[in-house]
Amino acid sequence: MAHRTVLVVLFDDVQSLDVTGPAEVFAGAEQHTPGTYRIRTASLDGAPVRTSSGLTVVPDLALAKAPVPDTLIVPGGQGSRNPDPRLVEWLRGHGTGARRLVSVCTGAILLARAGLLDGRRATTHWAYSDRLARDHPAVDVDPDPIFIRDGHVATSAGVTSGIDLALALVEEDLDRDAALTVARHLVVFLRRPGNQAQFSAQLAAQTARREPLRELQRWVAEHPGAELSVEALADRAGLSPRHFARAFRAETGTTPGRYVDRVRVEHARRLLEDTGDGVEEISRSSGYGTPEAMRRAFVKALGTSPAEYRRRFRPAPVH
């Protein structure tokens, strides 16, 4: 098998983790299966770049001398928001040459400026999705998933989602065992599916301002199998159901029912990933009652069944 060249574009004020996260994944895959990947970094003039966190990264070469890569990775960071026009021109001229074109975080803004996302579905960091959609109406921006594949173009959300996307690409190139081995080595518990939301249930909802509702949010996360109807939660909060529902939405940005749905999916997902418990047991402990109810919730939230989710995202036993 010939080496697949992975070229990472560098520029001043790049987000360091957008660079090193995917690079470490492909480097780990190369260690797992030698002869698989050759990782190269390149800046416009071949000069060192200073990342947004103050680190200095020395590239391998200048972009003008870079080989046509198998996978071209465009990271994000402050420097992607007001880029050097020469970088955009280089991407416009060379982005279509790679077998796979990948962006991490706001690297999607660079791809969009170069016209490489027109007519495609894409994502970016949640804080910049509105800007991407506003400035580039030809791009179908979806702010929710952690990464999106549209043909040979893949875009990912904030920072660590670049690791998830890189692991998915390694699985595509090699196999599931290789990707899971790399994930374990990096102490990434599991690859997250691309259509998983950018936020956990606790992050997706704002933390309530008032202590009774904050405490209730924590309690729900710790007791997903409990009776969590609006009436039961309102009683626990010492409010009428109508007042509770109104206050919860005003302070968290979501309804009690949606918050409970997210918590239960998240709890069940973790049990599927981390335990050998049966689907029926997990459905009860997560508050679904029956495997069929949990299956419907998973298909709605993640686009896959619990059994398929476990097959894809639970690590193989370590012998």
Side-chain angles (χ1 to χ4, degrees):
M1 179 190 300
H3 278 96
R4 296 176 172 92
T5 299
V6 177
L7 179 65
V8 185
V9 175
L10 299 180
F11 47 85
D12 283 327
D13 283 329
V14 70
Q15 168 87 276
S16 58
L17 191 55
D18 290 1
V19 174
T20 59
E24 290 291 348
V25 170
F26 287 111
E30 168 64 20
Q31 292 176 1
H32 178 273
T33 309
T36 303
Y37 295 109
R38 177 181 290 112
I39 303 162
R40 293 290 180 266
T41 56
S43 65
L44 271 172
D45 301 315
V49 302
R50 187 173 177 83
T51 71
S52 56
S53 61
L55 299 175
T56 296
V57 181
V58 180
D60 295 308
L61 70 171
L63 283 172
K65 297 181 178 179
V68 176
D70 175 83
T71 301
L72 177 61
I73 298 179
V74 182
Q78 295 173 15
S80 67
R81 269 93 84 182
N82 295 289
D84 187 317
R86 295 178 300 157
L87 177 57
V88 176
E89 284 304 310
W90 186 90
L91 289 171
R92 184 176 289 117
H94 296 81
T96 57
R99 181 174 69 89
R100 288 189 304 217
L101 183 59
V102 175
S103 70
V104 182
C105 196
T106 53
I109 293 176
L110 289 171
L111 296 188
R113 282 178 177 244
L116 297 169
L117 296 183
D118 288 356
R120 295 188 182 277
R121 183 167 167 259
T123 194
T124 188
H125 190 286
W126 62 269
Y128 294 92
S129 58
D130 286 346
R131 172 177 169 176
L132 180 62
R134 181 185 66 247
D135 293 348
H136 302 280
V139 182
D140 180 10
V141 180
D142 187 341
D144 290 330
I146 61 171
F147 65 81
I148 289 174
R149 305 285 301 277
D150 188 337
H152 76 288
V153 179
T155 53
S156 60
V159 288
T160 57
S161 61
I163 295 174
D164 296 293
L165 175 53
L167 286 165
L169 298 179
V170 166
E171 179 177 357
E172 177 184 284
D173 291 342
L174 303 178
D175 54 35
R176 178 175 178 268
D177 287 343
L180 290 174
T181 297
V182 175
R184 286 196 297 269
H185 180 72
L186 295 176
V187 200
V188 178
F189 286 123
L190 289 165
R191 293 174 303 101
R192 295 176 292 173
N195 59 357
Q196 184 172 316
Q198 293 192 27
F199 294 129
S200 68
Q202 285 70 41
L203 289 177
Q206 303 163 186
T207 300
R209 293 187 300 274
R210 291 186 289 173
E211 178 56 34
L213 292 183
R214 282 203 305 273
E215 175 57 34
L216 184 66
Q217 285 179 285
R218 289 192 291 268
W219 187 86
V220 169
E222 293 169 0
H223 301 85
E227 167 58 42
L228 300 179
S229 65
V230 169
E231 291 75 17
L233 294 175
D235 183 64
R236 189 170 187 87
L239 300 171
S240 71
R242 179 176 295 182
H243 185 192
F244 166 72
R246 191 163 54 242
F248 191 94
R249 181 161 193 165
E251 295 203 19
T252 68
T254 190
T255 66
R258 286 182 185 145
Y259 183 74
V260 168
D261 287 345
R262 288 170 176 164
V263 166
R264 283 176 166 164
V265 166
E266 196 167 298
H267 181 263
R269 179 175 59 79
R270 286 180 180 143
L271 291 179
L272 288 168
E273 293 169 357
D274 299 336
T275 76
D277 296 348
V279 170
E280 186 168 351
E281 182 180 352
I282 291 173
S283 68
R284 286 197 304 269
S285 67
S286 301
Y288 292 112
T290 67
E292 176 57 25
M294 186 168 81
R295 190 193 69 80
R296 289 196 300 269
F298 263 62
V299 169
K300 180 180 178 182
L302 301 175
T304 189
S305 69
E308 176 63 13
Y309 184 92
R310 169 170 270 174
R311 187 191 72 77
R312 288 184 57 81
F313 301 111
R314 187 183 180 202
V318 180
H319 298 293

